[in-house]
């Protein structure tokens, strides 16, 4: 309803939450004003005060609180912003609170699909921007279903670097693509098993420092003849077991993820 594609478009409607975002996974989540003092430097990283989760997997960045994942909000069940401290349930890095991105699980009842197209133009930009989101839910049998969602976006930049020849136009443009594949098996009336893969790749035309400090020439590091860029990639694998004990549900979740920042 808010037409938000990530947490940057959602936080304005959440009391007590503030988000500072530049690009390519560089997001600082602050709940109730609690935040560590670390900056963008990788040499003086401090612990985060707001934990970030994708489903049941902690994605709190080891690279510091300014590099939190912002999440794609398409085909999502809900976003939880839990005010802190949340250390009892969510452990380290949740003094201020915890943000959870909970995606829709495969549905064995019916075929479902969704397509969302977006297009916009921004002042001071020479190009147009677009985004495409798709989702397909496919029941394979009465006990097995697959759900696939994906997106691609091209965001035109609007900042020009004028202290070089020729002038570099729209240095903060970026492209992103990714998706999620989930398969769920209802092994019995009590046991269900779900496996999922979540993958996101973001490629920025200009270096991150060029976007965060676009008007400070001495901090706009770049080399003549080499176009600045930055790359941010995340791949997450998850396997989850749920067993109904009648008086409670036993859940076991195992995850592995890779994060690459260049």
């Amino acid at each position: 309803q808010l037409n938000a594609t990530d947490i940057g478009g959602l936080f304005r409607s959440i009391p007590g939450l503030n988000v500072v975002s530049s690009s390519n996974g560089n997001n600082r989540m602050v709940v109730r004003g609690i935040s560590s003092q670390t900056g963008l430097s990788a040499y003086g990283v401090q612990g985060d005060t707001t934990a970030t989760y994708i489903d049941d997997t902690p994605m709190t960045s080891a690279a510091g609180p300014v590099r939190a994942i912002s999440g794609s909000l398409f085909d999502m069940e809900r976003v939880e912003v839990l005010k802190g401290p949340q250390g009892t349930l969510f452990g380290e890095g949740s003094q201020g609170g915890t943000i959870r991105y909970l995606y829709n699980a495969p549905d064995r009842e019916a075929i479902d699909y969704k397509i969302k197209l977006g297009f916009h133009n921004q002042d001071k930009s020479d190009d147009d921007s677009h985004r495409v989101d798709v989702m397909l839910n496919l029941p394979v049998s009465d006990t097995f279903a697959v759900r696939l969602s994906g997106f691609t976006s091209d965001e035109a930049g609007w900042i020009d670097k004028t202290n070089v020849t020729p002038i570099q136009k729209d240095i903060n443009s970026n492209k992103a693509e990714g998706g999620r594949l989930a398969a769920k098996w209802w092994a019995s009336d009590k046991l269900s098993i779900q496996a999922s893969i979540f993958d996101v790749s973001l490629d920025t035309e200009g270096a991150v420092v060029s976007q965060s400090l676009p008007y400070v020439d001495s901090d706009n590091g770049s080399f003549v003849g080499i176009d600045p860029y930055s790359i941010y990639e995340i791949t997450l694998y998850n396997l989850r077991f749920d067993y109904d004990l009648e008086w409670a549900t036993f859940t076991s979740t195992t995850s592995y993820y890779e994060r690459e920042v260049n």
Side-chain angles (χ1 to χ4, degrees):
Q1 292 177 335
L2 295 174
N3 199 31
T5 58
D6 57 25
I7 195 68
L10 187 64
F11 80 95
R12 297 174 182 85
S13 302
I14 303 174
L17 174 65
N18 189 33
V19 176
V20 181
S21 176
S22 57
S23 69
N24 283 22
N26 287 318
N27 303 281
R28 181 194 287 267
M29 314 294 189
V30 181
V31 179
R32 290 175 172 168
I34 299 176
S35 175
S36 60
Q37 297 178 353
T38 185
L40 287 171
S41 173
Y43 302 104
V45 173
Q46 299 179 15
D48 206 343
T49 57
T50 302
T52 305
Y53 278 69
I54 292 181
D55 292 323
D56 297 303
T57 303
M59 303 293 291
T60 310
S61 177
V66 296
R67 293 183 171 88
I69 187 172
S70 62
S72 172
L73 303 189
F74 184 74
D75 194 35
M76 180 169 289
E77 178 184 337
R78 67 184 186 272
V79 178
E80 292 183 353
V81 178
L82 309 175
K83 310 297 174 61
Q86 291 287 337
T88 302
L89 291 178
F90 298 103
E92 182 183 6
S94 56
Q95 177 185 359
T98 299
I99 298 176
R100 301 179 69 203
Y101 302 99
L102 302 176
Y103 288 90
N104 289 320
D107 183 4
R108 57 179 172 175
E109 299 298 327
I111 296 176
D112 192 14
Y113 63 91
K114 186 190 306 182
I115 300 175
K116 180 179 179 181
L117 306 176
F119 173 86
H120 71 270
N121 181 271
Q122 182 159 322
D123 191 23
K124 304 299 183 181
S125 179
D126 296 334
D127 298 311
D128 299 320
S129 302
H130 70 269
R131 181 183 175 100
V132 180
D133 294 275
V134 296
M135 180 278 292
L136 173 64
N137 182 85
L138 185 63
V140 179
S141 68
D142 293 338
T143 60
F144 188 77
V146 176
R147 194 177 190 96
L148 173 66
S149 62
F151 77 93
T152 178
S153 71
D154 192 338
E155 289 285 337
W158 65 91
I159 296 175
D160 296 338
K161 184 171 173 57
T162 59
N163 67 321
V164 295
T165 303
I167 293 175
Q168 295 178 1
K169 295 283 189 176
D170 301 336
I171 64 171
N172 62 322
S173 61
N174 66 84
K175 297 180 179 180
E177 60 183 9
R180 178 176 179 266
L181 174 63
K184 188 171 184 178
W185 176 39
W186 288 263
S188 67
D189 293 338
K190 293 186 175 183
L191 175 65
S192 65
I193 303 172
Q194 177 175 300
S196 64
I197 301 175
F198 178 89
D199 184 81
V200 175
S201 175
L202 303 96
D203 187 354
T204 305
E205 181 179 339
V208 170
V209 69
S210 300
Q211 299 183 40
S212 57
L213 300 169
Y215 304 113
V216 183
D217 293 337
S218 60
D219 291 329
N220 252 348
S222 63
F223 297 96
V224 177
I226 300 178
D227 293 331
Y229 71 96
S230 58
I231 296 174
Y232 184 87
E233 297 179 349
I234 284 182
T235 303
L236 167 65
Y237 305 90
N238 179 256
L239 181 62
R240 172 174 173 156
F241 296 83
D242 288 285
Y243 190 84
D244 184 7
L245 301 174
E246 295 184 357
W247 53 273
T249 300
F250 173 78
T251 298
S252 171
T253 176
T254 303
S255 301
Y256 172 81
Y257 79 89
E258 297 176 345
R259 183 196 309 253
E260 179 180 350
V261 180
N262 186 358

